[in-house]
């Protein structure tokens, strides 16, 4: 009899174990189709080509070792990057928690009781001596519970957790893309301010010489006081620009310190020394629009969020169906430890639960989740359009600023020649001082615009690389960094991103 009972329980348990393969309710996720054009809408210039570029370390195309070192420091030290890595670790741990719901839960329990019943207890009233004696009760055992994932409630939860891990990885990659571009942009801003300061100081020197010349001619009685006052006004106006440029340089240095997560004033001294603005390469490869789907982290994150919301439809749908499982216990209970080995007991209880009277609420929950999933799809499609628009705009900005830069270079060269000519003419009395002033003012203005344009061309190239999703590679994934204690220095290798 006992053997047949055990066989029935084992058969039932085996049937439940095989049931997870029966059905996985809810929609199976399929990546959305995101139509993108075959070619860029904007015409590419002679410097922009359709061939694919390795965007992982695009900053190396600027051939500036100090910039490369700053980006390495930002990658290793930036606190926002470390926070994004912590989010990845959290999401992976939460996925592990959900995944463990597929396994049985086992609890170990034990107890000791010293007890004595009342003499008035009917169970002891008929004892020969009429009085119960104290006794010890020992309990120990295992409690096991397991729910079969018949309709995929847990498996859909694991699927959603997997998508959540993917979304956190793409967030980390997006942080890298933004961080690297911001470091490069601020570095270019710094070099731009320094070049503008060089031009300002050069023009201050030039205008100081003009002031001396005007003063000499005034003292010699060759000109009136007007030339002298105008020369002083022109010089003072140029000097007034210098403090704002020095302030801008300091603000950018502090911004770089923030991006590198270091205290202001601790940056390398080479940053303070004036250096040329990094120039873009002669040829820039932009690839094709379809590459955005693979390279832009924001698009990839939006796709993972869509996968997550789709899996949640299955989680909600599984509540329409019954749940099956087993509850068991194995243990001992005895009043005499010497007879502990023969005091075993066990129990196995198959069960099912079916929330059959709340189907209306469950169906409304499913419909609400379907709407959330539809919203995620709209968000994905909008992200693709936003990426395309940003890349197209970046292409135009780089192309047109290059043209403006060439025109400014020609204008500066012509004005520099004109400055020398007008000074000679003024020395010989063939022109008035107003022409000297106008030419010097124009030269300073054009040189300042030239420096700004040189920096803007490089910043537009940086924006283009950012719009293309540059700064990480699918060949590697986020580092498997161990959790860090507060204020503990990370020893992980924060190399540019990998596939999880």
């Amino acid at each position: 009899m006992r053997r047949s009972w055990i066989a029935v329980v084992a058969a039932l348990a085996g049937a439940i174990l095989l049931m997870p393969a029966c059905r996985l309710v809810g929609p199976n996720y399929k990546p959305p189709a995101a139509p993108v054009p075959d070619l860029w809408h904007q015409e590419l210039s002679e410097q922009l080509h359709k061939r694919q570029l390795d965007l992982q370390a695009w900053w190396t195309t600027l051939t500036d070792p100090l910039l490369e070192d700053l980006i390495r420091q930002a990658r290793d030290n930036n606190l926002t990057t470390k926070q994004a890595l912590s989010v990845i670790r959290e999401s992976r741990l939460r996925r592990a928690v959900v995944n463990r719901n597929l396994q049985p839960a086992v609890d170990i329990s034990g107890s000791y009781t010293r007890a004595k019943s009342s003499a008035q207890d009917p169970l002891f009233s008929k004892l020969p001596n009429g009085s119960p004696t104290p006794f010890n009760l020992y309990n120990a055992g295992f409690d096991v519970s397991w729910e079969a994932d018949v309709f995929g409630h847990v498996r859909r939860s694991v699927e959603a957790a997997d998508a959540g891990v993917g979304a956190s990885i793409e967030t980390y990659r997006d942080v890298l893309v933004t961080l690297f571009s911001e470091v490069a942009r601020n570095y270019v801003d710094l070099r731009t301010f320094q070049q503008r300061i060089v031009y300002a100081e050069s023009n201050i020197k030039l205008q100081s010489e003009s002031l001396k010349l005007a003063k000499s001619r005034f003292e010699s009685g060759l000109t009136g006081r007007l030339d002298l006052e105008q020369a002083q006004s022109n010089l003072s106006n140029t000097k007034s620009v210098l403090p704002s440029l020095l302030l801008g340089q300091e603000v950018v240095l502090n911004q770089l310190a923030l991006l590198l997560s270091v205290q202001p004033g601790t940056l390398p001294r080479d940053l303070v020394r004036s250096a040329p603005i990094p120039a873009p390469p002669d040829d820039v490869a932009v690839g094709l629009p379809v590459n955005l789907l693979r390279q832009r982290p924001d698009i990839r994150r939006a796709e993972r969020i869509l996968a997550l919301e789709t899996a949640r439809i299955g989680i909600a749908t599984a509540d329409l169906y019954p749940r099956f499982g087993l509850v068991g216990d194995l243990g001992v209970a005895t009043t005499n430890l010497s007879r502990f080995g023969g005091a075993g007991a066990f129990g196995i209880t198959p069960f099912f639960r079916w929330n059959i009277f709340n189907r209306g609420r469950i169906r409304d929950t499913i419909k609400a989740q379907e709407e959330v999933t539809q919203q995620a799809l709209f968000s994905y499609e909008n992200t693709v359009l936003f990426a395309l628009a940003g890349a197209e705009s970046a292409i135009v900005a780089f192309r047109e600023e290059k043209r403006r830069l060439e025109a400014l270079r020609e204008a500066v060269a012509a004005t520099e020649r004109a400055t020398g000519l007008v000074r000679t003419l003024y020395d010989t009395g063939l022109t008035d001082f107003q022409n000297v002033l106008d030419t010097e003012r124009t030269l300073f203005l054009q040189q300042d615009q030239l420096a700004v344009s040189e920096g803007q061309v490089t910043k537009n190239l940086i924006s283009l690389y950012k719009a293309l999703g540059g700064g990480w590679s699918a060949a590697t994934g986020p580092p498997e960094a161990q959790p860090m204690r507060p204020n503990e220095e990370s020893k992980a290798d924060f190399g540019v991103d990998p596939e999880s």
Side-chain angles (χ1 to χ4, degrees):
M1 180 69 180
R2 181 178 178 183
R3 290 183 178 179
S4 61
W5 181 81
I6 293 176
V8 170
V9 172
L12 181 59
I16 294 178
L17 286 170
L18 293 175
M19 288 177 72
C22 294
R23 188 176 181 187
L24 191 64
V25 299
N28 293 321
Y29 176 72
K30 294 181 180 179
V36 294
D38 295 331
L39 299 173
W40 298 107
H41 172 69
Q42 293 295 330
E43 181 182 355
L44 301 182
S45 66
E46 64 278 0
Q47 284 194 328
L48 297 172
H49 304 281
K50 292 181 293 184
R51 71 175 187 274
Q52 184 58 30
L53 172 69
D54 182 8
L55 293 170
Q56 178 177 356
W58 53 261
W59 49 89
T60 59
T61 62
L62 300 177
T63 61
D64 192 312
L66 184 54
L67 172 60
E68 295 175 21
D69 185 60
L70 290 175
I71 287 181
R72 279 193 297 268
Q73 292 183 51
R75 182 188 62 199
D76 294 344
N77 300 328
N78 182 263
L79 296 178
T80 304
T81 303
K82 293 181 179 181
Q83 182 180 4
L85 284 171
S86 178
V87 172
I88 294 176
R89 290 192 293 268
E90 176 195 356
S91 62
R92 285 172 174 164
L93 291 171
R94 293 190 183 280
R95 176 183 59 182
V97 170
V98 173
N99 195 55
R100 293 182 189 279
N101 291 332
L102 292 169
Q103 305 169 1
V106 181
D107 297 324
I108 300 177
S109 61
S111 66
Y112 163 73
T113 304
R114 175 71 174 174
K116 178 183 177 181
S117 297
S118 170
Q120 303 300 319
D121 192 326
L123 293 176
F124 296 94
S125 61
K126 297 181 180 181
L127 291 176
N129 57 7
S131 176
T133 58
F135 64 94
N136 299 320
L137 180 61
Y138 305 93
N139 284 283
F142 297 88
D143 297 323
V144 182
S145 63
W146 176 72
E147 183 174 321
D149 191 30
V150 179
F151 297 103
H153 184 278
V154 177
R155 283 172 289 163
R156 290 299 190 194
S157 298
V158 173
E159 185 180 328
D162 285 338
V165 171
S168 67
I169 291 173
E170 300 308 331
T171 298
Y172 167 74
R173 289 168 172 163
D174 203 21
V175 168
L176 290 182
V177 169
T178 301
L179 174 64
F180 296 158
S181 66
E182 285 302 304
V183 171
R185 285 176 62 87
N186 279 275
Y187 179 78
V188 172
D189 279 338
L190 174 64
R191 296 310 187 197
T192 300
F193 274 117
Q194 291 174 345
Q195 185 61 53
R196 294 176 67 187
I197 291 171
V198 169
Y199 282 140
E201 292 175 342
S202 173
N203 279 274
I204 288 173
K205 182 179 179 181
L206 176 66
Q207 292 171 17
S208 296
E209 294 174 356
S210 296
L211 176 60
K212 291 180 181 178
L213 178 60
K215 183 177 181 180
S216 174
R217 292 177 66 84
F218 169 72
E219 292 175 349
S220 300
L222 299 177
T223 60
R225 190 173 187 85
L226 179 61
D227 288 358
L228 178 62
E229 297 300 337
Q230 286 179 325
Q232 182 63 59
S233 174
N234 195 37
L235 175 61
S236 299
N237 184 65
T238 303
K239 286 182 176 179
S240 69
V241 176
L242 195 57
S244 62
L245 297 178
L246 293 171
L247 172 62
Q249 176 183 256
E250 190 63 28
V251 169
V252 172
L253 283 170
N254 291 335
Q255 184 63 27
L256 279 172
L258 178 62
L259 291 170
L260 271 61
S261 295
V262 298
Q263 295 182 0
T266 60
L267 292 172
R269 292 184 178 180
D270 289 344
L271 284 174
V272 182
R273 301 190 188 99
S274 180
I277 301 171
D282 294 334
D283 294 323
V284 177
V286 298
L288 296 172
V290 70
N291 294 329
L292 293 178
L293 302 180
R294 295 189 295 266
Q295 189 65 36
R296 288 268 302 215
D298 54 344
I299 295 178
R300 294 166 62 96
R301 180 176 61 243
E303 184 272 334
R304 288 290 81 203
I305 292 175
L306 177 59
L308 184 151
E309 300 298 347
T310 303
R312 286 177 175 172
I313 297 177
I315 297 173
T317 305
D319 289 337
L320 289 173
Y321 300 88
R323 297 186 180 186
F324 300 89
L326 290 173
V327 176
D329 62 86
L330 174 65
V332 293
T334 181
T335 59
N336 189 342
L337 288 177
S338 63
R339 293 180 292 173
F340 193 83
F346 74 92
I348 298 178
T349 306
F351 72 89
F352 83 94
R353 294 192 301 269
W354 197 352
N355 196 0
I356 197 171
F357 296 107
N358 285 318
R359 298 177 72 81
R361 177 181 60 81
I362 295 172
R363 292 189 184 280
D364 288 341
T365 301
I366 295 171
K367 292 178 181 178
Q369 184 56 43
E370 288 173 345
E371 290 300 325
V372 172
T373 304
Q374 187 65 41
Q375 295 164 25
L377 176 60
F378 292 149
S379 177
Y380 171 79
E381 293 173 344
N382 190 59
T383 303
V384 173
L385 292 175
F386 179 82
L388 287 170
E392 296 273 5
S393 297
I395 290 172
V396 176
F398 178 72
R399 183 186 66 200
E400 297 306 321
E401 190 63 34
K402 282 286 294 182
R403 294 174 178 173
R404 178 171 179 266
L405 176 60
E406 293 303 321
L408 282 172
R409 284 174 175 165
E410 294 176 359
V412 168
T415 305
E416 287 175 346
R417 294 191 297 269
T419 302
L421 291 173
V422 75
R423 177 71 66 85
T424 302
L425 292 174
Y426 180 69
D427 287 341
T428 57
L430 297 179
T431 187
D432 57 26
F433 193 64
Q434 186 62 46
N435 288 332
V436 176
L437 295 175
D438 291 342
T439 305
E440 288 180 350
R441 278 195 293 264
T442 301
L443 177 62
F444 175 52
L445 177 63
Q446 290 179 343
Q447 285 181 334
D448 190 68
Q449 289 180 341
L450 176 63
V452 172
S453 182
E454 287 176 341
Q456 191 61 49
V457 167
T458 304
K459 289 199 296 182
N460 286 349
L461 178 62
I462 294 168
S463 298
L464 176 57
Y465 284 133
K466 180 183 178 182
L468 297 176
W472 69 276
S473 171
T476 50
E480 297 287 347
Q482 295 298 320
M484 292 180 294
R485 298 175 183 174
N487 301 324
E488 181 182 2
E489 194 69 26
S490 171
K491 296 181 174 61
D493 178 17
F494 290 93
V496 186
D497 238 309
E499 201 76 27
S500 172

